[in-house]
């Protein structure tokens, strides 16, 4: 699987040099039913002798050089699964009116702050820790208070030294490394006990702006929607997954395709909403203007592509299940479909459920679409914490590069 930390950008330094602070790239591999997962997190200025680390990994890292890694199989990251953490409550225990300006309906498999069930299971008002609704039936609600990684087999943690600093941090606050690796994230994309999550009930695919997409995309937008670091990482992921000589469809394409690292593709076809944007895309050999929300069936021959990619756009599909089914028809056996996204979007055009979800739940939603469409060999990837490029328009206001989330699978 793609490893963004395999090649540190700074040159190694001779062994024996003091290392009071390190930049570390963490990679956590784990598996759920039918799916492989990799979580990548970059944490700068960690102090081996001062911060709170999982196990003895901090002291181990203090003795390795830039580019070297420490592996921690079975890493002690979260408490083990506790059956007492699954609490049965009456459905009325969920406070639908906790939010001042809107009613929040509970959905099976989804995550909510524990404050929604304050007064039960010893939970106090204002508790922001997340819990998951497992079962939701007429007479009962199962609130799972376990960490979403609890019970997952074979957690494999790798920590790679990316750089070191000759001085420590100025503040004396200890960084809780373990919590940063696991809080509000890893595990949330997996189904609860294998049960499909209720992503699609009610008005899940409605949008704040219901006007036809042809109006919204009538004029070209020759701007990047992700920063340069995120774009480069997505391009590297695509190059890792797409074989040389592949015929590629760039779904929901624009003026930039993030395919510049591919090795000699046979052809790249772009399907998008604006003719001027597609015409400006130098990666495309062919372009097609097509509105997937008006007609989700993609007008191309079956089994005509080796790979399909969709970048920073899946959240705009109002009939995503039909589009994913159409993509599967387009792929040859063994062909790969890769969906990459971040935490930025046009909120008025994103479907309602997308705006309601946490980032890692969004990976779960996309994964659900892959499972419903019958893809196999499924994987997810998260990449967070990389520094924002210094020449980026948001540099100085945002410390970190746009996070990258991806889900992919293959046509049987």
């Amino acid at each position: 699987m793609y490893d963004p930390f395999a090649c540190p950008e700074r040159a190694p330094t001779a062994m024996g040099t003091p290392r009071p602070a390190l930049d570390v790239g963490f990679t956590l591999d784990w598996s759920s039913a039918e799916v492989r997962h990799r979580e990548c997190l970059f944490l700068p200025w960690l102090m081996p002798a001062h911060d709170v680390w999982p196990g003895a990994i901090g002291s181990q890292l203090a003795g390795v050089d830039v580019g070297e890694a420490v592996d921690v199989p079975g890493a002690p990251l979260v408490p083990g699964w506790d059956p007492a953490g699954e609490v049965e409550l009456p459905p009325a225990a969920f406070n639908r009116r906790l939010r001042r300006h809107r009613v929040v309906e509970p959905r099976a498999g989804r995550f909510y702050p524990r404050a929604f069930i304050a007064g039960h299971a010893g939970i106090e008002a204002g508790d922001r820790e997340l819990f998951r609704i497992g079962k939701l039936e007429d007479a009962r609600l199962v609130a799972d208070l376990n960490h979403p990684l609890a019970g997952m087999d074979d957690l494999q943690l790798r920590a790679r030294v990316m750089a070191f600093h000759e001085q420590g941090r100025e503040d004396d606050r200890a960084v809780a490394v373990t919590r940063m690796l696991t809080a509000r994230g890893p595990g949330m994309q997996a189904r609860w006990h294998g049960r499909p999550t209720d992503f699609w009930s009610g008005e899940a695919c409605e949008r704040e702006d219901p006007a036809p997409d042809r109006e919204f995309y009538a004029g070209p937008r020759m701007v990047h929607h992700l920063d340069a670091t995120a774009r480069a990482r997505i391009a590297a992921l695509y190059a890792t997954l797409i074989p040389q000589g592949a015929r590629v469809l760039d779904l929901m394409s624009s003026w930039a395709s993030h395919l510049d690292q591919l090795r000699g593709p046979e052809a790249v076809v772009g399907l998008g909403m604006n003719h001027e944007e597609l015409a400006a895309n130098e990666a495309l050999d062919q372009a097609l203007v097509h509105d997937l929300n008006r007609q989700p069936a993609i007008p191309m021959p079956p089994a005509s592509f080796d790979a399909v990619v969709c970048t920073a756009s899946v959240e705009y599909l109002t009939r995503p299940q039909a589009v994913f089914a159409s993509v599967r028809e387009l792929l040859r056996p063994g062909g790969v479909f890769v969906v990459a996204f971040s935490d930025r979007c046009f909120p008025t055009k994103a479907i309602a459920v997308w705006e309601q979800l946490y980032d890692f739940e969004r990976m779960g939603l996309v994964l659900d679409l892959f499972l419903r469409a019958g893809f196999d060999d499924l994987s997810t990837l998260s990449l967070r914490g990389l520094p924002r490029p210094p020449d980026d328009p948001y540099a100085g206001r945002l410390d970190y590069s746009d996070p990258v989330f991806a889900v992919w699978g293959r046509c049987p």
Side-chain angles (χ1 to χ4, degrees), residues 273-325:
M273 285 293 296
N274 184 276
H275 174 76
E276 291 179 64
E277 290 184 11
L278 295 173
N281 190 330
E282 296 180 355
L284 302 183
D285 298 292
Q286 179 184 345
L288 174 65
V289 176
H290 181 82
D291 185 349
L292 290 170
N293 288 337
R294 187 178 61 83
Q295 177 48 266
I298 301 169
M300 294 182 185
S304 56
F305 290 96
D306 303 293
V308 178
V309 300
C310 179
T311 311
S313 297
V314 68
E315 61 268 30
Y316 306 123
L317 292 172
T318 59
R319 288 188 277 178
Q321 294 179 39
V323 172
F324 273 61

Side-chain angles (χ1 to χ4, degrees), residues 60-115:
Q60 291 175 288
L61 288 173
V64 304
D65 203 356
V66 172
E68 295 181 345
V70 171
D71 290 314
V72 189
L77 296 176
V78 298
W81 182 78
D82 182 359
E86 293 188 359
V87 182
E88 290 196 12
L89 302 172
F94 186 92
N95 184 359
R96 291 167 168 81
R97 299 188 179 277
L98 180 67
R99 300 295 188 221
R100 182 175 300 176
H101 301 295
R102 64 185 178 93
V103 175
V104 177
E105 292 294 338
R107 305 292 186 193
R110 299 261 295 274
F111 288 84
Y112 304 88
R114 293 186 180 186

Side-chain angles (χ1 to χ4, degrees), residues 318-389:
T318 59
R319 288 188 277 178
Q321 294 179 39
V323 172
F324 273 61
S326 182
V327 169
R328 181 181 167 181
E329 292 296 318
L330 293 179
L331 282 170
R332 296 163 180 160
V336 64
F337 181 26
V338 195
V339 176
F341 54 92
S342 189
D343 60 355
R344 297 168 59 182
C345 67
F346 298 120
T348 61
K349 281 299 183 181
I351 58 175
V353 66
W354 191 264
E355 290 290 280
Q356 299 164 7
L357 299 175
Y358 295 97
D359 288 337
F360 279 73
E361 283 188 291
R362 291 170 176 172
M363 278 201 291
L365 179 146
V366 177
L367 185 58
D368 183 76
L369 292 168
F370 275 91
L371 288 165
R372 289 173 180 268
F375 286 87
D376 58 18
D377 194 17
L378 299 166
S379 299
T380 75
L381 173 77
S382 66
L383 173 57
R384 300 171 294 156
L386 290 172
R388 183 166 287 272

Side-chain angles (χ1 to χ4, degrees), residues 246-296:
R247 182 173 170 81
V248 183
L249 172 62
D250 183 14
L251 198 65
M252 305 177 78
S253 184
S254 180
W255 69 287
S257 283
H258 313 91
L259 296 171
D260 49 288
Q261 297 186 35
L262 293 191
R263 296 159 294 170
E266 176 189 322
V268 177
V269 179
L271 182 150
M273 285 293 296
N274 184 276
H275 174 76
E276 291 179 64
E277 290 184 11
L278 295 173
N281 190 330
E282 296 180 355
L284 302 183
D285 298 292
Q286 179 184 345
L288 174 65
V289 176
H290 181 82
D291 185 349
L292 290 170
N293 288 337
R294 187 178 61 83
Q295 177 48 266

Side-chain angles (χ1 to χ4, degrees), residues 221-227 231 255-256 258 344:
R221 291 181 172 88
M222 304 296 189
V223 295
H224 288 295
H225 301 294
L226 300 173
D227 70 78
R231 299 196 306 271
W255 69 287
H258 313 91
R344 297 168 59 182

